[in-house]
Amino acid sequence: MPVNIAMDGPVGAGKSTIADRVAEKLGILHLDTGAMYRAVGVAALRRGLDPADEEKVVSMCRSIRMDVNFEPGKGQRTLVDGEDLTDELRTEKASMAASKVATYPGVREEMVRSQQRLATEHDMLVDGRDIGTRVLPDATVKIYLTASAEVRARRRYLQLLEKGQQADYETVLKDLIARDDQDMHRAADPLRQAEDAVVVDTSDLTFDESVEAILKLVRESQGGK
Ligand code: DC
C-alpha cells in the first residue's frame, strides 16, 4: 500500500510551500491538486469557452487528456493534451477560472478519479480542499492546515508587496474571506476538516516549525519510526 498524506486547508495557510518541503523531507511526491483545477480553467479559456458555461466546460473536461508529471528539480508539471501549462497556472485569470470550474460536479468527478489513480501508483502527499474528505478517505495521515484569516491576509499582502505589486491589506483580507466562503459553502465537495484530520494552525509558527509539526505527525502515525 502506498503512503498517502492528505493535506487540506483554506487559501493562504502556506499549504503548497509547506507540502513541497514536507514531501521532499519524506522523499515522496507532492501532488498539487489545485494545479489540476487551474489547468482545466486555463484549457477552457484557451478554447474560448466561458468558465461560467458548466455544460461546455464539463464536456471539454471529459474530452481532454490531463497528465501530471513529476520532474526532478522542476516539481509537478501539468499537461493538457500534451502541452505543458504549468507556467500559465498562477495568474489571476487562471485563479478565477479555476475557482469557477472547481464548483462543477462533472469536473470534480474527472479530477478526483485521476487523483485517486495517481495516489495508488505512488507514495504521495496530496494537497487540496477535499483530499481527506473525498479523494483519499483512507489516507495514512490527514492534516488540516490553517491560520487565522488576519495572518493569512497579512502573508499574502506582504507577498504582493515583495513582488512589487500594489496592495491594500483590507482588500486582501476581504477577498480572502470571500474565497474561504466560496470554498466552504459550495455544494460539491466543499472545504471542511475531515473528522479524523489533525489541525495544524500555523498562525504562530514559522515555516520551519510548521514543517516540523507535520513531520512529527507523520512519524507518530508510523509508530514513531
Ligand atoms: O489551491 P489553489 O488555489 O491552487 O486551487 C485553485 C482552485 O481550485 C481553488 O479555487 C480551489 C479549487 N480546488 C478545489 O476545489 N479542490 C481541490 N482539491 C484543490 C483546489
Side-chain angles (χ1 to χ4, degrees):
M1 279 286 284
V3 172
N4 287 158
I5 300 171
M7 191 187 282
D8 294 296
V11 63
K15 259 186 322 189
S16 275
T17 42
I18 292 174
D20 256 347
R21 178 67 65 83
V22 170
E24 186 194 322
K25 291 243 177 199
L26 295 171
I28 63 177
L29 297 175
H30 166 209
L31 175 64
D32 168 6
T33 61
M36 299 172 71
Y37 290 95
R38 288 169 182 267
V40 173
V42 169
L45 292 173
R46 281 176 152 226
R47 284 159 180 74
L49 301 183
D50 177 357
D53 188 336
E54 177 167 0
E55 207 183 304
K56 290 219 173 93
V57 171
V58 170
S59 140
M60 178 209 75
C61 193
R62 293 195 174 123
S63 70
I64 56 174
R65 176 192 164 88
M66 186 177 293
D67 292 300
V68 176
N69 297 340
F70 299 93
E71 293 180 17
K74 274 178 124 182
Q76 175 175 332
R77 310 300 297 182
T78 310
L79 289 77
V80 171
D81 290 337
E83 188 179 356
D84 188 344
L85 298 183
T86 312
D87 295 336
E88 292 175 40
L89 302 182
R90 293 275 140 206
T91 65
E92 202 46 40
K93 252 182 148 181
S95 299
M96 301 285 287
S99 98
K100 189 73 204 167
V101 304
T103 63
Y104 303 149
V107 169
R108 304 201 66 86
E109 210 177 281
E110 296 294 320
M111 296 300 110
V112 168
R113 196 181 309 129
S114 27
Q115 290 156 15
Q116 289 174 331
R117 184 173 38 76
L118 284 163
T120 58
E121 291 167 357
H122 309 275
D123 289 340
M124 283 190 151
L125 188 162
V126 185
D127 99 74
R129 304 290 191 285
D130 60 341
I131 310 305
T133 51
R134 169 96 163 90
V135 180
L136 302 173
D138 300 322
T140 326
V141 193
K142 294 183 188 179
I143 291 149
Y144 190 82
L145 196 75
T146 189
S148 71
E150 288 73 18
V151 167
R152 290 185 287 126
R154 180 146 299 278
R155 287 179 188 157
R156 177 83 189 128
Y157 168 71
L158 293 175
Q159 256 175 15
L160 290 170
L161 292 189
E162 247 172 54
K163 283 193 208 159
Q165 295 179 16
Q166 290 249 334
D168 167 57
Y169 171 75
E170 290 303 327
T171 311
V172 172
L173 178 63
K174 202 169 109 261
D175 289 352
L176 186 132
I177 291 172
R179 265 187 82 180
D180 277 359
D181 190 66
Q182 184 172 319
D183 280 351
M184 290 175 184
H185 295 105
R186 66 168 178 236
D189 299 333
L191 167 66
R192 67 186 168 81
Q193 187 193 325
E195 270 172 27
D196 48 352
V198 183
V199 177
V200 174
D201 187 326
T202 68
S203 300
D204 297 317
L205 300 182
T206 63
F207 176 77
D208 287 341
E209 287 168 345
S210 308
V211 170
E212 201 37 57
I214 294 166
L215 288 172
K216 187 162 170 265
L217 290 172
V218 175
R219 280 188 221 112
E220 282 168 3
S221 78
Q222 294 171 331
K225 271 183 280 180

